[in-house]
Amino acid sequence: MKHPIIIDTDPGIDDAAAISIALNHPDLDVKMLTTVNGNVGIEKTTANALKLTQFFNSNVSVHRGASHPLLSDIFSASSVHGESGMDGYEFPEVDASTLSSHNAVAAMYDLLINSKEPITLIPIGPLTNIALLLTTYPEVKTQINEIILMGGSAGRGNVTPLAEFNIYCDPEAAHIVFNSGLPLTMVGLDVARSSTLIHAKLEKLKSLNDTGRMLHQLFSHYRGDDFEYGINIYDAYTILYLLHPELFQIVEARVDIETTGELTRGATVTDLKSAYPNCTVVMGIETDIFEKIFFDALTYCK
Ligand code: BDR
Ligand code: CA
């Protein structure tokens, strides 16, 4: 059976890798892409989502979401992903009329409430849209199978010593999602850091297929890591975890979101020994296994 999923995203170079796999994998049924302010502003993340659906000639709908975090000021990652958010590959101009709606939260509600089967949410950007969905329409919770999100860390952060980007951008939204009571999996920085894709392996992308060439060009402009050594394709782990959960090391843990600390705002405070877990935390995967499932998944792409 195909997994029905919604990807909530802020493309984003590693988002592009996750979306490429998801749109083409035979075991996944992407119901829609919803966009959020994150790596770059909402107009750019939405245009980037459309560039990807257009690249794959996909009819998956794209819905524009929140342009601003719930309370935080906007914090951009254009220094990492480039001015466009997906620098490095010349996509054709997008046809803006192909955007399906300007209200991602309402679109998710309509889809979920009318769905005959529960749907899995895959947020790979700040959690603003998901928090708005759960607070505006709490009745959709029974229609959500689980949430598998990229964000947070059981250890150190990547924006501040303790906060990871997606959580740091909108800690109040993350607090709502982590306290929603829904089955939740945190695919944080830990798992990608355990299995960095080294440069020599990235070179293989160039001869894989058109998608491999497109991703290779994006990755070579990705400033989050040192391309000459290798990179962490954080968002792709959510999709790979959904496809192969048995290959990952996990811990049931209590994750609370720090919203007030002057130095720690946005931290995912992870108690690996709590008697009251609210979350599955994905801690690692063998590098060789990650490489294999990543490249295998990309072979379904054009
Ligand atoms: C996360 O932050 C963004 O820059 C990436 O797209 C990913 O979702 C990693 O911290
Ligand atoms: Ca992202």
Side-chain angles (χ1 to χ4, degrees), residues 10 14-15 39 77 81 124 150 158 164-166 189 234-235:
D10 62 337
D14 53 333
D15 302 70
N39 286 319
H81 298 261
I124 53 176
M150 193 285 136
N158 59 356
E164 179 279 332
F165 178 81
N166 289 339
L189 299 175
Y234 299 107
D235 292 337

Side-chain angles (χ1 to χ4, degrees), residues 54-75:
Q54 203 170 282
F55 179 85
F56 291 112
N57 208 11
S58 161
N59 55 14
V60 169
S61 59
V62 176
H63 302 265
R64 196 179 77 180
S67 63
H68 200 283
L70 297 184
L71 294 180
S72 283
D73 292 336
I74 286 177
F75 180 80

Side-chain angles (χ1 to χ4, degrees), residues 179-241:
N179 287 284
S180 66
L182 287 166
L184 188 68
T185 298
M186 176 172 105
V187 182
L189 299 175
D190 315 88
V191 61
R193 284 174 174 165
S194 81
S195 51
T196 297
L197 202 57
I198 60 164
H199 185 85
K201 305 285 179 184
L202 290 166
E203 290 302 289
K204 279 185 3 192
L205 287 167
K206 289 198 278 192
S207 56
L208 189 67
N209 51 26
D210 286 350
T211 307
R213 280 183 284 283
M214 179 266 285
L215 290 176
H216 185 270
Q217 290 188 35
L218 292 178
F219 292 159
S220 61
H221 284 74
Y222 189 25
R223 295 287 168 250
D225 307 290
D226 178 3
F227 182 69
E228 291 311 311
Y229 171 68
I231 58 168
N232 294 323
I233 311 164
Y234 299 107
D235 292 337
Y237 288 81
T238 53
I239 304 295
L240 295 171
Y241 176 78

Side-chain angles (χ1 to χ4, degrees), residues 60-106:
V60 169
S61 59
V62 176
H63 302 265
R64 196 179 77 180
S67 63
H68 200 283
L70 297 184
L71 294 180
S72 283
D73 292 336
I74 286 177
F75 180 80
S76 157
S78 57
S79 59
V80 175
H81 298 261
E83 271 309 306
S84 74
M86 276 185 357
D87 276 11
Y89 185 83
E90 285 304 314
F91 291 93
E93 269 309 294
V94 285
D95 175 0
S97 71
T98 56
L99 181 65
S100 292
S101 87
H102 288 70
N103 193 336
V105 174

